[in-house]
Amino acid sequence: LWGDNAQVKFLSGVVDVPFGQCNAELLARARANLKKHFAVVGTSEKFDETLILLKRTLGWRTPYYVRENVSTKRIRKKDLQPEVLAIVEKHQTFDCELYRYAEELFSEQIAHQDDSFHEEVQVFKLLNDHCARYLSDLADPEKFPGAEIQVIGDTVFSLLREEKYDQATLVLGHSLRKYPDSPDLHNLAALIKYKQGRVEEAKSIFVEITRRWPSHPSAYNFIGAVLWDAGDIENAMKNFLAALKIDPCHRGTVINCGKALAKFNKRDDALNLYSFYIEKNPRDGEVIWLWKYLAEGTIGQPSLL
C-alpha cells in the first residue's frame, strides 16, 4: 500500500489507494492541502532553515536539537544500480512532483522573510553545534535564557580557538541584540577585541562592565587575565581576588587564579582553591584535571586567555 507515492496519499487524505493507482487528481488534492493547511512547509535537506521558519511563524524559542540514532548503513542514491533507481523513480512520480511543489512553497516563504533570516540561520547552525550539554535546560522556559547564553559562550570560545574572528563577531553581534543586558556577552565582546589585538578597546569594555555590573565577577576575571598577559602581575591578582570575593566558585576565575598561584610556586594555595571549587562542583572534569596534574607537579603554564 505504501510502496508508491506515499506522501501524496498521506497529504491527499486518501490513504487506501492500491499500489500503482495513485493519479494526478490525488496529486492536485495533496498540493492544495499542503498550501492551505500548513503554516510552514519545509524539507529535511533544509532542516535548519525549516526550524527557523517554524520559530518565526509559531513564536517558538530557538529550537536546538541533536542528531540521534543516525544509521551508519543508510543506502544512498548513488549506491543504487541504475535499473533499481529507475524502478524506484517510476513508482514515485507523483511524490517527486509534490516534493518539487513543496520546495516552491518553501522558497516563497523564505522570500517573505526579512534580511535577518539568513544571518539567524547561520548563527543557529554555529550555536547548535554546542547545545548538546544544555538540552535539558534549553527545554525549560525559565532556564532557557541562561542556558542559551552558555551555548553562545561555548560557541564564541570555540571560534576564537580556531581564530574565526568574523564568525565569532557575527554570533556575538546577533546575540547581543537578543540579550543586550547580559554582562557575560559584553565580556565576550571585549575578549574578541583582545584576541584581535585591540587591547585598549578590550580594556575599556571590561572597565565599563565593572561599572555597569559591579557585582559580576567575569569582567574582573578577564581584566586580570589581560593584565597577566601584559605582565602586570600585581594588578592581575587584585582583579582575580575581586572576582573571587564576589563569587568564590566563579569557574573562570578559579581556573585562572589557580594557574597564577601555581606560577608563583604557591601550589598549596592553588590546590586549596581548586579543592574548594571541586567540593561544590564535583563533576567539573577540567578543574579536576588541573588539580590532579598540579598535585603531581606536571601542570604547564599556558596563557590565561
Side-chain angles (χ1 to χ4, degrees):
L1 191 64
W2 303 114
D4 72 321
N5 300 297
Q7 291 187 103
V8 167
K9 293 175 182 179
F10 273 118
L11 287 165
S12 71
V14 184
V15 296
D16 57 348
V17 182
F19 186 91
Q21 294 187 27
C22 196
N23 54 45
E25 181 182 347
L26 293 178
L27 172 61
R29 184 181 297 188
R31 286 166 53 113
N33 286 342
L34 199 60
K35 186 176 181 69
K36 181 178 181 181
H37 296 297
F38 290 84
V40 171
V41 177
T43 68
S44 58
E45 285 79 5
K46 296 288 186 179
F47 189 68
D48 292 328
E49 289 84 350
T50 300
L51 286 180
I52 298 304
L53 272 177
L54 285 164
K55 168 187 175 292
R56 288 182 165 212
T57 304
L58 303 177
W60 288 358
R61 298 186 302 276
T62 304
Y64 295 103
Y65 68 93
V66 295
R67 299 178 187 273
E68 295 183 339
N69 299 323
V70 179
S71 174
T72 59
K73 300 180 180 179
R74 184 176 180 179
I75 297 174
R76 297 169 295 179
K77 183 176 179 179
K78 67 179 184 179
D79 297 327
L80 295 174
Q81 295 295 324
E83 58 271 21
V84 175
L85 186 59
I87 293 171
V88 173
E89 291 177 342
K90 174 183 176 181
H91 294 292
Q92 310 302 329
T93 302
F94 295 112
D95 263 8
C96 290
E97 288 293 327
L98 182 63
Y99 188 84
R100 283 190 284 269
Y101 180 67
E103 288 183 312
E104 291 176 11
L105 293 178
F106 180 76
S107 296
E108 289 176 8
Q109 291 173 310
I110 296 295
H112 286 112
Q113 299 301 309
D114 60 33
D115 293 340
S116 66
F117 176 80
H118 294 289
E119 177 186 296
E120 185 173 1
V121 171
Q122 185 178 355
V123 170
F124 173 65
K125 289 179 178 181
L126 292 168
L127 294 178
N128 197 65
D129 286 341
H130 299 271
C131 76
R133 61 187 292 199
Y134 305 106
L135 278 184
S136 60
D137 286 347
L138 290 167
D140 185 329
E142 293 185 0
K143 296 180 180 179
F144 180 88
E148 185 169 48
I149 288 173
Q150 288 180 301
V151 172
I152 294 164
D154 287 357
T155 304
V156 170
F157 276 114
S158 176
L159 291 170
L160 290 179
R161 283 193 294 271
E162 298 175 16
E163 298 185 356
K164 295 180 178 179
Y165 301 125
D166 290 343
Q167 289 186 351
T169 301
L170 175 69
V171 168
L172 196 59
H174 181 88
S175 302
L176 277 170
R177 289 193 291 274
K178 186 173 184 179
Y179 299 109
D181 296 320
S182 168
D184 290 311
L185 296 188
H186 285 280
N187 273 321
L188 290 174
L191 181 59
I192 291 173
K193 292 186 182 298
Y194 180 81
K195 290 293 188 179
Q196 292 175 313
R198 298 155 69 179
V199 178
E200 294 305 316
E201 291 180 62
K203 285 183 180 178
S204 65
I205 295 175
F206 285 135
V207 171
E208 175 63 15
I209 293 168
T210 61
R211 186 191 67 79
R212 289 182 63 184
W213 296 282
S215 61
H216 192 76
S218 291
Y220 294 101
N221 174 44
F222 278 121
I223 292 172
V226 170
L227 292 171
W228 178 274
D229 281 356
D232 189 348
I233 307 304
E234 181 179 354
N235 285 316
M237 289 302 301
K238 286 181 179 179
N239 278 278
F240 291 147
L241 294 175
L244 290 175
K245 185 175 181 180
I246 296 168
D247 181 1
C249 283
H250 183 255
R251 184 177 187 275
T253 308
V254 168
I255 291 173
N256 282 343
C257 192
K259 290 178 180 179
L261 289 168
K263 181 72 172 178
F264 285 100
N265 297 317
K266 294 186 177 182
R267 189 170 68 112
D268 290 343
D269 290 339
L271 287 170
N272 288 335
L273 178 62
Y274 288 156
S275 296
F276 177 79
Y277 176 87
I278 292 169
E279 182 180 347
K280 307 292 184 182
N281 302 274
R283 299 180 65 181
D284 193 318
E286 181 179 358
V287 179
I288 292 172
W289 180 89
L290 287 168
W291 181 92
K292 176 183 176 182
Y293 282 87
L294 180 59
E296 295 175 352
T298 57
I299 189 170
Q301 297 301 329
S303 170
L304 301 190
L305 274 177

